[in-house]
């Protein structure tokens, strides 16, 4: 399901450009526009879902498949020595885009 006002839905459909590093039928991985680490990628499902707290069984299956693909994608994009996966949930975490996304941070030694 698509949300017309959602930035990441627009990136997923290609109407807003992104620096893609990986794409398949159900997920897209692109470079974060304001990187917080030497390598900062965002992995998104192409279908719109908002929050980790609202994930249903079908969405959990999509997330599971995304997680199985991320190690290879990370390793091929400068995170051979490790990386951190982050999902921000809600205001206290500073979530700004309400289309579920997994931050992939690496390419350097991370402080914590
Ligand atoms: P969050 O704070 O977890 O919601 O993360 C949203 C992330 O999306 C931030 O790290 C932003 O830098 C990133 N971002 C916002 N707009 C774009 C864009 N057009 N292309 C790539 N990344 C973006
Ligand atoms: Zn969306």
């Amino acid at each position: 399901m698509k949300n017309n006002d959602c930035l990441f839905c627009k990136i997923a459909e290609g109407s807003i450009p992104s620096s893609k590093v990986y794409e398949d039928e159900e997920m897209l991985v692109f470079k974060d526009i304001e990187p917080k680490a030497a390598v900062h990628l965002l992995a998104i499902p192409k279908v719109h879902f908002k929050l980790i707290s609202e994930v249903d069984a079908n969405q959990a299956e999509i997330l599971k498949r995304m997680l199985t693909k991320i190690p290879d994608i990370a390793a091929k994009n400068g995170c051979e020595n490790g990386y951190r996966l982050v999902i921000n949930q809600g205001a206290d975490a500073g979530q700004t885009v309400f289309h579920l996304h997994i931050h992939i941070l690496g390419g350097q030694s991370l402080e914590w």
Side-chain angles (χ1 to χ4, degrees):
M1 196 187 306
K2 186 184 147 196
N3 177 329
N4 285 325
D5 296 325
C6 173
L7 173 65
F8 285 179
C9 280
K10 288 179 182 159
I11 285 179
E13 75 184 17
S15 63
I16 289 182
S18 66
S19 300
K20 285 181 211 173
V21 304
Y22 176 84
E23 181 170 16
D24 64 25
E25 64 287 345
E26 66 180 357
M27 78 181 276
L28 181 68
V29 184
F30 55 98
K31 293 183 182 173
D32 195 290
I33 206 166
E34 284 180 39
K36 285 38 167 218
V39 176
H40 188 173
L41 306 174
L42 298 172
I44 63 168
K46 287 190 171 176
V47 291
H48 181 83
F49 51 102
K50 217 162 94 175
L51 297 164
I52 195 75
S53 59
E54 292 178 1
V55 165
D56 65 22
N58 181 49
Q59 293 165 347
E61 287 300 315
I62 295 173
L63 273 179
K64 186 172 90 179
R65 288 191 292 274
M66 288 175 66
L67 286 170
T68 62
K69 292 170 196 161
I70 281 174
D72 190 45
I73 297 165
K76 287 182 172 143
N77 286 280
C79 296
E80 304 80 0
N81 293 325
Y83 48 89
R84 181 173 297 147
L85 303 183
V86 172
I87 297 176
N88 288 324
Q89 157 76 32
D92 275 3
Q95 185 178 6
T96 57
V97 179
F98 290 86
H99 176 128
L100 193 114
H101 51 281
I102 303 171
H103 295 261
I104 304 168
L105 298 150
Q108 64 176 86
S109 179
L110 299 166
E111 287 303 309
W112 54 272

